[in-house]
Amino acid sequence: MSEKYQVSVSPHVRDKITTQKLMLLVIIALLPACIFGVFNFGLHALLILVITVAAAVATEFVYQKLMRKKVTIGDFSAALTGLLLAMNMPPQIEWWIPVIGAVFAIIVIKQLYGGLGQNFMNPALGARCFLLIAFSGQMTNYACGNGFINTVTTVANTTDALSGATPLAYLKLGEHFDLSSLFVGNVGGVIGETSAICLLAGGIFLVAMKVIEIRIPAVYLGSFAVLCLITAAIRGYDNPFVFMLEELCAGGIMLGAWFMATDYVTSPVTPKAQYIYALLLGLLTWVFRMIGKSSEGVSYAIIFMNCVVPLIENYTKPLAFGIKKEKKVRGKEEAQS
């Protein structure tokens, strides 16, 4: 043989794609939902998006400078965290609240655990849950401002201006919501979750660009949909199939399934673990929405499952090459003796 045997340290499998490129692709996939959020809720929503992203990037820069660490804001991970957090903010929230959330996400959840790749939960969702506890009144006030779209919805054949309640609040009561409004996004809610079609397009873009695998969002949404359909049928709701579609398009499940549950750091690696993880996500979200008092539950479901991921991976890790064969050989030898 003319070629020499090469020995090198891990990793042995390499890819040309970088963290910076991955983060940029996710940000691009989120832009349609962000643009629609600004179009729907007005310029204050744009202000929240810009300020939160800037706060996240500035926090990471200052922290790493003070700690004399390598500055990594160029990988766009802090910008993505800020963008996701901003998309989970009510459209009329005071600007300083998401700034506090951005500082919490970057320092407490990300940097104190070692930076990118070391955090045990999604920083944006962790910060959102922190803000829900600290500023519950402001974080649950979904009153719409004077956006460019006249946000009106049809509930129980009555057209009313949407003030504080989200579509999930009506669905919680078993009432139907205008499905076309939910799909397009002409409804109230947080800035980046209202348009199901924009989020779905962004998710498909990520799958097409091979940034994420379709396993987690497909199993997550599928398991949740089946449980909603069964629940609607048992409770005797009119048209359970339509109710299921309304639940899929309402709230943050599309944003969570495509962009947060698939986070590389806080989701499982192996396919088997991903199926279990996604299935439990669907079950937990159903429990929070259908059985619990809250009409939403995506954030809490994903954070809880982030903490369970190490346990799932421990019980689903593949055996090393040759282990099964050794067991079989050993078993035959014991049987012969």
Side-chain angles (χ1 to χ4, degrees), residues 299-331:
S299 297
Y300 296 113
I302 294 177
I303 283 180
F304 180 82
M305 288 308 302
N306 287 163
C307 298
V308 179
V309 163
L311 184 64
I312 296 175
E313 290 190 321
N314 183 56
Y315 283 98
T316 58
K317 61 184 177 182
L319 293 173
F321 180 76
I323 293 295
K324 285 186 177 180
K325 188 175 181 180
E326 284 182 9
K327 286 185 177 180
K328 289 181 181 179
V329 171
R330 192 174 299 171

Short mmCIF file of all heavy atoms in Angstrom, two decimals, residues 299-331:
data_model
loop_
_atom_site.label_atom_id
_atom_site.label_comp_id
_atom_site.label_asym_id
_atom_site.label_seq_id
_atom_site.Cartn_x
_atom_site.Cartn_y
_atom_site.Cartn_z
N SER A 299 -43.08 26.30 27.01
CA SER A 299 -41.82 26.69 27.65
C SER A 299 -41.45 25.76 28.79
O SER A 299 -40.31 25.29 28.89
CB SER A 299 -41.92 28.14 28.17
OG SER A 299 -42.13 29.04 27.12
N TYR A 300 -42.43 25.48 29.66
CA TYR A 300 -42.16 24.63 30.81
C TYR A 300 -41.87 23.19 30.37
O TYR A 300 -41.02 22.52 30.97
CB TYR A 300 -43.34 24.65 31.77
CG TYR A 300 -43.58 26.01 32.39
CD1 TYR A 300 -44.72 26.74 32.09
CD2 TYR A 300 -42.65 26.57 33.25
CE1 TYR A 300 -44.94 27.99 32.64
CE2 TYR A 300 -42.85 27.82 33.81
CZ TYR A 300 -44.01 28.53 33.50
OH TYR A 300 -44.21 29.77 34.04
N ALA A 301 -42.56 22.72 29.34
CA ALA A 301 -42.33 21.36 28.86
C ALA A 301 -40.91 21.20 28.31
O ALA A 301 -40.22 20.23 28.61
CB ALA A 301 -43.36 21.02 27.78
N ILE A 302 -40.47 22.17 27.51
CA ILE A 302 -39.13 22.08 26.92
C ILE A 302 -38.05 22.19 27.98
O ILE A 302 -37.07 21.43 27.97
CB ILE A 302 -38.95 23.16 25.84
CG1 ILE A 302 -39.89 22.89 24.66
CG2 ILE A 302 -37.50 23.18 25.34
CD1 ILE A 302 -39.84 23.94 23.58
N ILE A 303 -38.21 23.11 28.93
CA ILE A 303 -37.21 23.26 29.99
C ILE A 303 -37.12 22.00 30.84
O ILE A 303 -36.03 21.54 31.19
CB ILE A 303 -37.54 24.49 30.86
CG1 ILE A 303 -37.13 25.76 30.13
CG2 ILE A 303 -36.82 24.43 32.20
CD1 ILE A 303 -37.41 27.01 30.90
N PHE A 304 -38.26 21.44 31.19
CA PHE A 304 -38.27 20.21 31.98
C PHE A 304 -37.55 19.09 31.23
O PHE A 304 -36.72 18.36 31.80
CB PHE A 304 -39.71 19.79 32.31
CG PHE A 304 -39.80 18.53 33.11
CD1 PHE A 304 -39.65 18.54 34.49
CD2 PHE A 304 -40.02 17.31 32.48
CE1 PHE A 304 -39.72 17.37 35.23
CE2 PHE A 304 -40.10 16.13 33.21
CZ PHE A 304 -39.94 16.16 34.59
N MET A 305 -37.86 18.95 29.93
CA MET A 305 -37.23 17.87 29.16
C MET A 305 -35.75 18.14 28.92
O MET A 305 -34.97 17.19 28.80
CB MET A 305 -37.97 17.69 27.84
CG MET A 305 -39.35 17.06 27.98
SD MET A 305 -39.33 15.52 28.92
CE MET A 305 -38.19 14.52 27.97
N ASN A 306 -35.34 19.41 28.86
CA ASN A 306 -33.91 19.72 28.78
C ASN A 306 -33.16 19.12 29.96
O ASN A 306 -32.05 18.60 29.81
CB ASN A 306 -33.69 21.23 28.78
CG ASN A 306 -34.07 21.90 27.48
OD1 ASN A 306 -34.24 23.11 27.42
ND2 ASN A 306 -34.23 21.12 26.41
N CYS A 307 -33.78 19.18 31.13
CA CYS A 307 -33.15 18.65 32.34
C CYS A 307 -33.14 17.12 32.36
O CYS A 307 -32.31 16.50 33.03
CB CYS A 307 -33.87 19.17 33.59
SG CYS A 307 -33.82 20.97 33.77
N VAL A 308 -34.07 16.51 31.62
CA VAL A 308 -34.18 15.05 31.61
C VAL A 308 -33.34 14.42 30.50
O VAL A 308 -33.09 13.22 30.51
CB VAL A 308 -35.67 14.64 31.45
CG1 VAL A 308 -35.85 13.13 31.40
CG2 VAL A 308 -36.50 15.22 32.60
N VAL A 309 -32.87 15.22 29.56
CA VAL A 309 -32.10 14.71 28.42
C VAL A 309 -30.92 13.82 28.84
O VAL A 309 -30.73 12.74 28.26
CB VAL A 309 -31.62 15.87 27.52
CG1 VAL A 309 -30.49 15.42 26.59
CG2 VAL A 309 -32.77 16.40 26.69
N PRO A 310 -30.09 14.20 29.83
CA PRO A 310 -28.98 13.31 30.22
C PRO A 310 -29.45 11.93 30.66
O PRO A 310 -28.79 10.92 30.36
CB PRO A 310 -28.32 14.07 31.39
CG PRO A 310 -28.66 15.50 31.15
CD PRO A 310 -30.04 15.49 30.58
N LEU A 311 -30.59 11.88 31.34
CA LEU A 311 -31.14 10.59 31.78
C LEU A 311 -31.59 9.75 30.58
O LEU A 311 -31.32 8.55 30.51
CB LEU A 311 -32.31 10.82 32.73
CG LEU A 311 -32.93 9.58 33.36
CD1 LEU A 311 -31.92 8.87 34.26
CD2 LEU A 311 -34.18 9.95 34.17
N ILE A 312 -32.26 10.40 29.63
CA ILE A 312 -32.71 9.69 28.43
C ILE A 312 -31.52 9.15 27.66
O ILE A 312 -31.51 7.99 27.22
CB ILE A 312 -33.55 10.63 27.53
CG1 ILE A 312 -34.82 11.06 28.25
CG2 ILE A 312 -33.89 9.94 26.21
CD1 ILE A 312 -35.64 12.08 27.47
N GLU A 313 -30.49 9.97 27.50
CA GLU A 313 -29.31 9.54 26.74
C GLU A 313 -28.56 8.42 27.45
O GLU A 313 -27.97 7.56 26.81
CB GLU A 313 -28.39 10.73 26.49
CG GLU A 313 -28.97 11.73 25.49
CD GLU A 313 -27.97 12.78 25.08
OE1 GLU A 313 -27.21 13.22 25.95
OE2 GLU A 313 -27.96 13.16 23.90
N ASN A 314 -28.60 8.43 28.77
CA ASN A 314 -27.91 7.39 29.53
C ASN A 314 -28.53 6.02 29.29
O ASN A 314 -27.83 5.01 29.21
CB ASN A 314 -27.95 7.73 31.03
CG ASN A 314 -27.19 6.72 31.86
OD1 ASN A 314 -26.01 6.46 31.64
ND2 ASN A 314 -27.88 6.12 32.84
N TYR A 315 -29.87 5.98 29.16
CA TYR A 315 -30.56 4.71 28.98
C TYR A 315 -30.72 4.32 27.51
O TYR A 315 -31.17 3.21 27.22
CB TYR A 315 -31.94 4.76 29.63
CG TYR A 315 -31.88 4.61 31.13
CD1 TYR A 315 -31.91 5.72 31.97
CD2 TYR A 315 -31.77 3.35 31.72
CE1 TYR A 315 -31.83 5.59 33.36
CE2 TYR A 315 -31.70 3.20 33.10
CZ TYR A 315 -31.73 4.32 33.91
OH TYR A 315 -31.66 4.19 35.27
N THR A 316 -30.37 5.22 26.59
CA THR A 316 -30.52 4.91 25.17
C THR A 316 -29.19 4.96 24.42
O THR A 316 -29.19 4.88 23.20
CB THR A 316 -31.50 5.89 24.50
OG1 THR A 316 -31.03 7.24 24.67
CG2 THR A 316 -32.89 5.76 25.08
N LYS A 317 -28.10 5.09 25.14
CA LYS A 317 -26.81 5.19 24.46
C LYS A 317 -26.49 3.88 23.75
O LYS A 317 -26.72 2.79 24.28
CB LYS A 317 -25.70 5.55 25.44
CG LYS A 317 -25.48 4.54 26.56
CD LYS A 317 -24.43 5.02 27.53
CE LYS A 317 -24.26 4.04 28.69
NZ LYS A 317 -23.27 4.53 29.67
N PRO A 318 -25.97 3.95 22.54
CA PRO A 318 -25.66 2.73 21.78
C PRO A 318 -24.48 2.00 22.41
O PRO A 318 -23.58 2.62 22.99
CB PRO A 318 -25.31 3.26 20.38
CG PRO A 318 -24.88 4.68 20.61
CD PRO A 318 -25.69 5.18 21.78
N LEU A 319 -24.48 0.68 22.29
CA LEU A 319 -23.37 -0.11 22.80
C LEU A 319 -22.15 0.03 21.92
O LEU A 319 -22.25 0.24 20.71
CB LEU A 319 -23.78 -1.58 22.87
CG LEU A 319 -24.88 -1.94 23.89
CD1 LEU A 319 -25.28 -3.39 23.72
CD2 LEU A 319 -24.42 -1.66 25.31
N ALA A 320 -21.01 -0.05 22.53
CA ALA A 320 -19.76 0.03 21.77
C ALA A 320 -19.65 -1.15 20.82
O ALA A 320 -20.22 -2.22 21.04
CB ALA A 320 -18.57 0.06 22.73
N PHE A 321 -18.90 -0.95 19.75
CA PHE A 321 -18.74 -1.99 18.74
C PHE A 321 -18.15 -3.26 19.35
O PHE A 321 -17.11 -3.21 20.03
CB PHE A 321 -17.83 -1.48 17.62
CG PHE A 321 -17.61 -2.49 16.52
CD1 PHE A 321 -18.60 -2.73 15.59
CD2 PHE A 321 -16.42 -3.18 16.45
CE1 PHE A 321 -18.40 -3.66 14.59
CE2 PHE A 321 -16.21 -4.12 15.44
CZ PHE A 321 -17.21 -4.35 14.51
N GLY A 322 -18.84 -4.38 19.15
CA GLY A 322 -18.34 -5.65 19.64
C GLY A 322 -18.92 -6.10 20.95
O GLY A 322 -18.74 -7.23 21.36
N ILE A 323 -19.66 -5.22 21.64
CA ILE A 323 -20.20 -5.58 22.96
C ILE A 323 -21.22 -6.70 22.85
O ILE A 323 -21.19 -7.67 23.58
CB ILE A 323 -20.84 -4.35 23.64
CG1 ILE A 323 -19.77 -3.32 23.98
CG2 ILE A 323 -21.60 -4.77 24.88
CD1 ILE A 323 -18.78 -3.79 25.01
N LYS A 324 -22.16 -6.58 21.89
CA LYS A 324 -23.17 -7.62 21.73
C LYS A 324 -22.54 -8.95 21.38
O LYS A 324 -22.94 -10.00 21.86
CB LYS A 324 -24.17 -7.20 20.64
CG LYS A 324 -25.14 -6.12 21.07
CD LYS A 324 -26.17 -5.88 19.98
CE LYS A 324 -27.19 -4.84 20.44
NZ LYS A 324 -28.22 -4.59 19.39
N LYS A 325 -21.55 -8.88 20.49
CA LYS A 325 -20.89 -10.11 20.07
C LYS A 325 -20.19 -10.77 21.24
O LYS A 325 -20.24 -11.98 21.40
CB LYS A 325 -19.87 -9.79 18.97
CG LYS A 325 -19.25 -11.02 18.33
CD LYS A 325 -18.36 -10.62 17.18
CE LYS A 325 -17.75 -11.85 16.53
NZ LYS A 325 -16.87 -11.49 15.40
N GLU A 326 -19.54 -9.99 22.10
CA GLU A 326 -18.86 -10.54 23.27
C GLU A 326 -19.84 -11.23 24.20
O GLU A 326 -19.59 -12.29 24.73
CB GLU A 326 -18.13 -9.43 24.02
CG GLU A 326 -16.84 -9.00 23.33
CD GLU A 326 -16.13 -7.95 24.14
OE1 GLU A 326 -16.57 -7.70 25.30
OE2 GLU A 326 -15.16 -7.36 23.66
N LYS A 327 -21.00 -10.60 24.38
CA LYS A 327 -22.01 -11.19 25.27
C LYS A 327 -22.50 -12.52 24.72
O LYS A 327 -22.70 -13.48 25.46
CB LYS A 327 -23.18 -10.21 25.43
CG LYS A 327 -22.85 -9.02 26.32
CD LYS A 327 -24.09 -8.15 26.52
CE LYS A 327 -23.77 -7.01 27.48
NZ LYS A 327 -24.95 -6.14 27.69
N LYS A 328 -22.73 -12.58 23.39
CA LYS A 328 -23.21 -13.81 22.79
C LYS A 328 -22.16 -14.92 22.91
O LYS A 328 -22.48 -16.06 23.23
CB LYS A 328 -23.56 -13.57 21.32
CG LYS A 328 -24.81 -12.72 21.13
CD LYS A 328 -25.11 -12.54 19.66
CE LYS A 328 -26.36 -11.67 19.47
NZ LYS A 328 -26.65 -11.45 18.02
N VAL A 329 -20.91 -14.58 22.64
CA VAL A 329 -19.83 -15.57 22.72
C VAL A 329 -19.67 -16.07 24.15
O VAL A 329 -19.55 -17.27 24.39
CB VAL A 329 -18.50 -14.96 22.21
CG1 VAL A 329 -17.35 -15.90 22.50
CG2 VAL A 329 -18.61 -14.67 20.73
N ARG A 330 -19.74 -15.14 25.11
CA ARG A 330 -19.61 -15.51 26.50
C ARG A 330 -20.76 -16.41 26.93
O ARG A 330 -20.60 -17.37 27.69
CB ARG A 330 -19.53 -14.27 27.38
CG ARG A 330 -19.11 -14.54 28.80
CD ARG A 330 -18.92 -13.23 29.54
NE ARG A 330 -17.87 -12.44 28.90
CZ ARG A 330 -17.60 -11.16 29.24
NH1 ARG A 330 -18.31 -10.55 30.18
NH2 ARG A 330 -16.63 -10.52 28.63
N GLY A 331 -21.95 -16.11 26.42
CA GLY A 331 -23.12 -16.92 26.77
C GLY A 331 -23.01 -18.33 26.22
O GLY A 331 -23.37 -19.29 26.88
#
